Amino acid sequence: MSQMLEPFTSLVDLRLGTVEPRRDVVERRLSDMRGMYLEEPAGGGDPLVYTVYGIPVPETGDNVMSSTTVLEPGTVGREFYMTKGHRHEVRDRAEVYFTLAGEGRLVLATDDGDVRVEEMHRGTVNYVPGNWAHRSVNVGGLPLVFFAAYVADAGHDYGTIEEHGFPVLVVAGDGGPEVVDNPRYSG
Ligand code: M6P
Ligand code: ZN
């Protein structure tokens, strides 16, 4: 049996994506994403790529974990800034994304190489079924801000994506964002 929790309330700034009270904040910089982009990042410094503001609860199957993610605008080569992307350690755990601000794409892939790219913009609710790896990509000029909620025992498995990548990349084309095959994808 899990412990009984007290009800609690958090406040999300719908534009900035920050969460009060601040409990669990994770920053990912370009150096944390080494090897995930086709091209080596040019220029100096180590820019912030995204921040996750967690609303932590015990990691059990009867709780719902949630967080906001603020993904900065930017590119490495032609690839837009993106999250690392993960599968769930407990593979069949599902997740919901609700976008608050900005413009993005949600890239989803199964172990069989099935792939989908879904739109993200203010108001979209993306359903991420179990067994689909997921990564969000900021294709706009402003921060992409979204709220995520998932079964709290899901866990994050980054290894497969770090090793194989996603089957497709989201890149800046002449007429806007384009989805292209990832030349380095190995399923
Ligand atoms: C969303 C959720 C989180 C995840 C975050 C960043 O907020 O899916 O669980 O941690 O995005 O994505 P990643 O963990 O792949 O870097
Ligand atoms: Zn997830």
Side-chain angles (χ1 to χ4, degrees), residues 86 88 95 97 134 156:
H86 60 272
H88 290 150
E95 182 157 357
Y97 278 14
H134 38 290
H156 294 76

mmCIF file of all heavy atoms in Angstrom, residues 86 88 95 97 134 156, ligand 2:
data_model
loop_
_atom_site.group_PDB
_atom_site.id
_atom_site.type_symbol
_atom_site.label_atom_id
_atom_site.label_comp_id
_atom_site.label_asym_id
_atom_site.label_seq_id
_atom_site.Cartn_x
_atom_site.Cartn_y
_atom_site.Cartn_z
ATOM 1 N N HIS A 86 13.015 9.934 -24.340
ATOM 2 C CA HIS A 86 13.142 8.709 -23.535
ATOM 3 C C HIS A 86 12.006 7.742 -23.824
ATOM 4 O O HIS A 86 10.984 8.114 -24.374
ATOM 5 C CB HIS A 86 13.141 9.073 -22.042
ATOM 6 C CG HIS A 86 11.891 9.774 -21.592
ATOM 7 N ND1 HIS A 86 11.748 11.141 -21.654
ATOM 8 C CD2 HIS A 86 10.723 9.301 -21.099
ATOM 9 C CE1 HIS A 86 10.552 11.481 -21.215
ATOM 10 N NE2 HIS A 86 9.893 10.382 -20.878
ATOM 11 N N HIS A 88 9.816 4.825 -21.397
ATOM 12 C CA HIS A 88 9.576 4.619 -19.969
ATOM 13 C C HIS A 88 10.212 3.294 -19.549
ATOM 14 O O HIS A 88 10.181 2.327 -20.295
ATOM 15 C CB HIS A 88 8.078 4.661 -19.669
ATOM 16 C CG HIS A 88 7.517 6.041 -19.819
ATOM 17 N ND1 HIS A 88 6.231 6.302 -20.199
ATOM 18 C CD2 HIS A 88 8.116 7.256 -19.648
ATOM 19 C CE1 HIS A 88 6.051 7.615 -20.253
ATOM 20 N NE2 HIS A 88 7.178 8.224 -19.924
ATOM 21 N N GLU A 95 1.412 8.778 -21.072
ATOM 22 C CA GLU A 95 1.715 10.157 -20.663
ATOM 23 C C GLU A 95 0.852 11.119 -21.468
ATOM 24 O O GLU A 95 0.478 10.807 -22.610
ATOM 25 C CB GLU A 95 3.208 10.427 -20.921
ATOM 26 C CG GLU A 95 3.713 11.785 -20.516
ATOM 27 C CD GLU A 95 5.228 11.793 -20.276
ATOM 28 O OE1 GLU A 95 5.876 10.717 -20.374
ATOM 29 O OE2 GLU A 95 5.760 12.874 -20.000
ATOM 30 N N TYR A 97 0.682 15.289 -22.741
ATOM 31 C CA TYR A 97 1.348 16.586 -22.848
ATOM 32 C C TYR A 97 0.295 17.649 -23.171
ATOM 33 O O TYR A 97 -0.496 17.459 -24.102
ATOM 34 C CB TYR A 97 2.361 16.593 -24.012
ATOM 35 C CG TYR A 97 3.720 15.995 -23.726
ATOM 36 C CD1 TYR A 97 3.974 15.223 -22.606
ATOM 37 C CD2 TYR A 97 4.768 16.234 -24.608
ATOM 38 C CE1 TYR A 97 5.237 14.684 -22.381
ATOM 39 C CE2 TYR A 97 6.035 15.694 -24.392
ATOM 40 C CZ TYR A 97 6.256 14.927 -23.272
ATOM 41 O OH TYR A 97 7.505 14.397 -23.059
ATOM 42 N N HIS A 134 9.463 9.205 -26.728
ATOM 43 C CA HIS A 134 8.978 10.549 -27.054
ATOM 44 C C HIS A 134 10.037 11.607 -26.798
ATOM 45 O O HIS A 134 10.813 11.514 -25.851
ATOM 46 C CB HIS A 134 7.686 10.874 -26.292
ATOM 47 C CG HIS A 134 7.646 10.365 -24.883
ATOM 48 N ND1 HIS A 134 7.549 9.026 -24.568
ATOM 49 C CD2 HIS A 134 7.707 11.013 -23.692
ATOM 50 C CE1 HIS A 134 7.540 8.876 -23.259
ATOM 51 N NE2 HIS A 134 7.657 10.060 -22.697
ATOM 52 N N HIS A 156 12.409 6.900 -16.440
ATOM 53 C CA HIS A 156 12.972 7.402 -17.703
ATOM 54 C C HIS A 156 14.102 6.486 -18.142
ATOM 55 O O HIS A 156 15.052 6.277 -17.392
ATOM 56 C CB HIS A 156 13.529 8.812 -17.525
ATOM 57 C CG HIS A 156 12.487 9.844 -17.218
ATOM 58 N ND1 HIS A 156 11.915 9.972 -15.984
ATOM 59 C CD2 HIS A 156 11.922 10.795 -17.991
ATOM 60 C CE1 HIS A 156 11.033 10.957 -16.009
ATOM 61 N NE2 HIS A 156 11.018 11.480 -17.214
HETATM 62 ZN ZN ZN B 2 7.810 10.208 -20.633
#
